[in-house]
Amino acid sequence: MIPFTQNLVKFALFSLFFYAVSLIVWGLLSPQALKPNLNYRKGEGAFMYSRLQEAKEIENVDILFLGSSHAYRGFDNRMYSSKGYKTFNLGSSAQAHSQTLVLIKRYLERLNPKMVIYEVYPETFSNEGVESSLDIISNDNQDLSSLEMTLKINNIKTYNTFLFALGVECLGLYDDFKESMVKNKDSYVSGGFVEKKISHYEPKKFEPMELTFSPAQVDAFTEVMALLKSKNIEVILVFAPISSAQYRRYTNLKYFDSLMRSYSSYYNFNEMLELEDSLHFYDSHHLNQLGVELFNESILGVLADDYN
């Protein structure tokens, strides 16, 4: 029995090694259309590579922003700098709370914020986190938290991308990578914000939708909040403005608001600001720069009134 077990372990290790090598070769040589379950995208999308590279150099901020694309497209660091705040934006596309947990485990000690403003878009609580995990794996170094996240998500795309990223990192294949600071209509702003060239949204109607809450994401959110509070960091939860058409579709927002208030100070800016869908948004749930400026002026007002 013992020789059989030893041979089985050897075979499993060889198979994993062969699979990883084949995956790296296939990933490097094949077009994306032929590798749907491998999504390594360093430098693609919303400047995650540049944001994380910058996070490795920043220390001791006044405010750390966390959250999804509503965070890195919504919190304009320049407006806080003008008021004397040192800030950094650690948002990422479709960032589920399991990915927020990975990022703060890596960067919280270095960034050492006095306050965290955590953008809480309701749909991130039902998000599996696949897209956000691929973004982080592709644009940051791999460690035990990457492996833990990969195992928890348990998705073939995440497994393949993690193995590929680990391989190319060990081989140093992207050590000289540089990311452009302008992509189409998007420009990266130091501190993690992404400014989009002004455009406007044409409103439409949405079917009613009941918000759902994944136990895994609620648990991750709870762990994030516990970790921040264990460091005596002031946490403000923020529901960033979305178009009124999108906002009205949710049928159980009162429950969501109540849930957020049970964790920390919470501000639903959809109820605090009067914005126009066609003037202040570029799609159904992202502010354009006109909306961003009004949103951040309102947050700065809250900070001046309640946190000084």
XYZ file of all heavy atoms in Angstrom, residues 84-126:
352
model
N -5.798 69.116 2.034
C -4.749 68.725 2.964
C -4.723 67.267 3.357
O -3.942 66.863 4.218
N -5.559 66.424 2.710
C -5.586 64.997 3.018
C -4.629 64.236 2.098
O -4.632 64.433 0.876
C -6.985 64.421 2.815
C -8.042 64.914 3.771
C -9.024 65.816 3.339
C -8.093 64.476 5.087
C -10.012 66.272 4.198
C -9.077 64.925 5.960
C -10.040 65.829 5.506
O -11.019 66.270 6.355
N -3.858 63.354 2.675
C -3.059 62.411 1.891
C -3.884 61.144 1.734
O -4.282 60.525 2.723
C -1.736 62.100 2.596
C -0.825 61.154 1.819
C 0.474 60.894 2.582
C 1.388 59.955 1.817
N 2.653 59.672 2.552
N -4.163 60.736 0.490
C -5.088 59.623 0.262
C -4.499 58.616 -0.717
O -3.565 58.909 -1.461
C -6.430 60.124 -0.300
O -6.224 60.690 -1.603
C -7.054 61.167 0.609
N -5.082 57.425 -0.691
C -4.771 56.425 -1.720
C -6.023 55.616 -2.009
O -6.819 55.335 -1.101
C -3.634 55.489 -1.301
C -3.127 54.672 -2.461
C -2.275 55.233 -3.396
C -3.532 53.353 -2.642
C -1.837 54.503 -4.487
C -3.103 52.624 -3.725
C -2.244 53.195 -4.655
N -6.193 55.260 -3.278
C -7.382 54.550 -3.740
C -7.010 53.127 -4.124
O -6.270 52.915 -5.089
C -7.978 55.287 -4.949
C -9.415 54.904 -5.208
O -9.770 53.737 -5.126
N -10.241 55.880 -5.527
N -7.507 52.155 -3.372
C -7.190 50.745 -3.600
C -8.388 50.000 -4.202
O -8.537 48.797 -4.035
C -6.753 50.097 -2.291
C -5.817 48.887 -2.343
C -4.563 49.184 -3.149
C -5.432 48.446 -0.933
N -9.253 50.736 -4.907
C -10.377 50.101 -5.578
C -9.933 49.288 -6.778
O -8.844 49.480 -7.311
N -10.797 48.377 -7.223
C -10.524 47.598 -8.438
C -11.840 47.179 -9.067
O -12.885 47.183 -8.418
C -9.664 46.364 -8.132
O -10.354 45.448 -7.301
N -11.782 46.813 -10.323
C -12.994 46.490 -11.073
C -13.730 45.311 -10.451
O -13.136 44.253 -10.198
C -12.645 46.163 -12.528
O -12.123 47.300 -13.176
N -15.034 45.509 -10.211
C -15.908 44.459 -9.669
C -15.358 43.862 -8.377
O -15.574 42.684 -8.078
C -16.128 43.360 -10.695
N -14.674 44.662 -7.592
C -14.024 44.164 -6.373
C -15.050 43.630 -5.380
O -15.812 44.382 -4.794
C -13.196 45.271 -5.718
C -12.357 44.797 -4.552
C -11.533 45.928 -3.943
O -11.735 46.291 -2.792
N -10.616 46.494 -4.707
N -15.058 42.321 -5.223
C -15.881 41.697 -4.183
C -15.118 41.784 -2.863
O -13.915 42.052 -2.826
C -16.190 40.251 -4.550
N -15.800 41.522 -1.771
C -15.186 41.747 -0.461
C -14.095 40.725 -0.150
O -13.183 41.017 0.629
C -16.282 41.772 0.603
C -17.315 42.809 0.291
N -17.090 44.150 0.438
C -18.573 42.693 -0.241
C -18.162 44.825 0.049
N -19.059 43.966 -0.370
N -14.153 39.570 -0.792
C -13.074 38.601 -0.635
C -11.777 39.129 -1.236
O -10.685 38.827 -0.747
C -13.459 37.260 -1.281
O -13.922 37.444 -2.598
N -11.882 39.952 -2.296
C -10.685 40.561 -2.883
C -10.235 41.775 -2.065
O -9.041 42.026 -1.937
C -10.943 40.971 -4.327
C -10.898 39.808 -5.315
C -12.068 38.864 -5.135
O -13.222 39.274 -5.251
N -11.790 37.606 -4.840
N -11.181 42.510 -1.501
C -10.819 43.600 -0.592
C -9.980 43.059 0.554
O -8.977 43.667 0.961
C -12.080 44.278 -0.025
O -12.945 44.673 -1.091
C -11.714 45.494 0.802
N -10.365 41.901 1.066
C -9.641 41.286 2.175
C -8.202 40.968 1.784
O -7.261 41.212 2.552
C -10.375 40.020 2.624
C -9.813 39.283 3.834
C -9.792 40.174 5.068
C -10.637 38.015 4.103
N -8.009 40.428 0.587
C -6.653 40.125 0.108
C -5.817 41.402 0.046
O -4.664 41.452 0.501
C -6.705 39.452 -1.281
C -5.307 39.361 -1.899
C -7.311 38.061 -1.173
N -6.391 42.465 -0.515
C -5.642 43.705 -0.700
C -5.265 44.351 0.621
O -4.142 44.840 0.779
C -6.452 44.672 -1.559
C -6.590 44.268 -3.028
C -7.576 45.183 -3.749
C -5.240 44.299 -3.734
N -6.170 44.372 1.590
C -5.796 45.037 2.842
C -4.810 44.192 3.644
O -3.988 44.738 4.383
C -7.024 45.430 3.690
C -7.794 44.214 4.181
C -7.919 46.389 2.939
C -8.785 44.575 5.280
N -4.867 42.874 3.494
C -3.859 42.047 4.166
C -2.469 42.359 3.618
O -1.478 42.285 4.344
C -4.188 40.564 3.987
C -5.322 40.068 4.887
C -5.566 38.576 4.697
C -6.620 38.054 5.664
N -6.865 36.603 5.472
N -2.389 42.708 2.343
C -1.097 43.018 1.731
C -0.630 44.437 2.014
O 0.567 44.677 2.199
C -1.177 42.828 0.210
C -1.248 41.399 -0.239
C -1.292 41.310 -1.744
N -1.444 39.923 -2.172
C -1.705 39.548 -3.406
N -1.875 40.459 -4.346
N -1.809 38.268 -3.714
N -1.536 45.384 1.996
C -1.130 46.787 1.934
C -1.517 47.631 3.148
O -1.069 48.772 3.248
C -1.717 47.434 0.665
C -1.136 46.849 -0.601
C -1.859 45.954 -1.378
C 0.163 47.168 -0.995
C -1.314 45.410 -2.528
C 0.719 46.629 -2.141
C -0.032 45.744 -2.904
O 0.518 45.204 -4.041
N -2.339 47.114 4.053
C -2.819 47.948 5.149
C -1.687 48.435 6.039
O -1.648 49.607 6.426
C -3.859 47.185 5.981
C -4.560 48.001 7.066
C -5.398 49.114 6.443
C -5.436 47.096 7.930
N -0.776 47.556 6.372
C 0.298 47.943 7.286
C 1.145 49.056 6.692
O 1.512 50.014 7.389
C 1.176 46.734 7.621
C 2.270 47.041 8.631
C 3.045 45.812 9.058
O 2.620 44.678 8.729
O 4.083 45.981 9.720
N 1.452 48.962 5.420
C 2.279 49.984 4.780
C 1.524 51.307 4.633
O 2.046 52.378 4.961
C 2.761 49.508 3.412
C 3.644 50.527 2.717
C 4.155 50.064 1.373
N 5.086 51.041 0.848
C 6.380 51.104 1.132
N 6.909 50.212 1.952
N 7.163 52.033 0.608
N 0.273 51.229 4.141
C -0.502 52.447 3.928
C -0.903 53.101 5.244
O -1.049 54.312 5.322
C -1.736 52.128 3.087
C -1.439 51.703 1.636
C -2.699 51.191 0.960
C -0.845 52.862 0.842
N -1.134 52.282 6.268
C -1.346 52.756 7.633
C -2.327 53.934 7.697
O -1.992 55.015 8.205
C 0.003 53.160 8.258
C -0.104 53.446 9.742
O -0.943 52.868 10.431
N 0.724 54.354 10.240
N -3.550 53.763 7.207
C -4.481 54.892 7.137
C -5.068 55.266 8.496
O -5.257 54.419 9.362
C -5.588 54.368 6.216
C -5.589 52.887 6.470
C -4.141 52.518 6.681
N -5.382 56.544 8.649
C -6.120 56.993 9.820
C -7.604 56.695 9.663
O -8.316 56.474 10.643
C -5.907 58.493 10.027
C -4.466 58.898 10.277
C -4.332 60.416 10.305
C -2.871 60.829 10.465
N -2.714 62.311 10.386
N -8.060 56.689 8.404
C -9.466 56.482 8.101
C -9.589 55.673 6.819
O -8.763 55.797 5.908
C -10.189 57.830 7.922
C -11.614 57.749 7.416
S -12.349 59.388 7.135
C -12.575 59.930 8.836
N -10.616 54.832 6.758
C -10.951 54.106 5.530
C -12.348 54.525 5.092
O -13.284 54.515 5.899
C -10.907 52.576 5.739
C -11.632 51.849 4.601
C -9.463 52.105 5.825
N -12.469 54.923 3.831
C -13.777 55.149 3.221
C -14.006 53.973 2.279
O -13.308 53.806 1.289
C -13.854 56.490 2.480
C -13.657 57.645 3.472
C -15.186 56.630 1.752
C -13.750 59.033 2.854
N -14.975 53.154 2.634
C -15.203 51.856 1.988
C -16.488 51.946 1.173
O -17.577 52.046 1.722
C -15.310 50.805 3.094
C -15.265 49.343 2.697
C -15.093 48.374 3.689
C -15.406 48.916 1.387
C -15.052 47.025 3.384
C -15.359 47.571 1.069
C -15.184 46.631 2.068
O -15.153 45.291 1.755
N -16.347 51.924 -0.142
C -17.500 51.982 -1.044
C -18.185 50.624 -1.070
O -17.548 49.601 -1.348
C -17.036 52.397 -2.449
C -18.112 52.431 -3.495
C -18.216 51.118 -4.253
O -17.169 50.471 -4.495
O -19.351 50.730 -4.602
N -19.491 50.616 -0.769
C -20.226 49.358 -0.661
C -21.381 49.356 -1.671
O -22.483 49.779 -1.364
C -20.741 49.111 0.777
C -19.600 48.667 1.674
C -21.415 50.346 1.371
N -21.100 48.885 -2.861
C -22.136 48.737 -3.879
C -22.881 47.435 -3.594
O -22.255 46.377 -3.452
C -21.478 48.698 -5.250
C -22.433 48.607 -6.414
C -23.533 49.455 -6.515
C -22.217 47.691 -7.435
C -24.393 49.388 -7.599
C -23.064 47.615 -8.528
C -24.156 48.469 -8.604
O -25.009 48.404 -9.679
N -24.210 47.464 -3.489
C -24.943 46.263 -3.048
C -24.642 45.003 -3.844
O -24.565 43.911 -3.275
C -26.412 46.681 -3.201
C -26.406 48.156 -3.061
C -25.115 48.619 -3.668
N -24.443 45.147 -5.153
C -24.271 43.946 -5.967
C -22.933 43.250 -5.730
O -22.753 42.101 -6.134
C -24.473 44.279 -7.441
C -25.913 44.651 -7.780
C -26.189 44.700 -9.271
O -25.685 43.817 -10.003
O -26.905 45.616 -9.709
N -21.987 43.919 -5.077
C -20.727 43.232 -4.757
C -20.933 42.135 -3.726
O -20.082 41.249 -3.579
C -19.663 44.218 -4.242
O -20.147 44.877 -3.064
C -19.317 45.252 -5.300
N -22.050 42.174 -3.017
C -22.326 41.137 -2.016
C -22.874 39.853 -2.641
O -22.970 38.830 -1.968
C -23.304 41.670 -0.968
C -22.674 42.612 0.004
C -22.615 43.967 -0.268
C -22.127 42.145 1.185
C -22.025 44.844 0.624
C -21.532 43.012 2.086
C -21.478 44.372 1.806
N -23.225 39.907 -3.924
C -23.648 38.690 -4.621
C -22.630 38.273 -5.671
O -22.803 37.270 -6.366
C -25.019 38.906 -5.281
O -24.967 39.961 -6.221
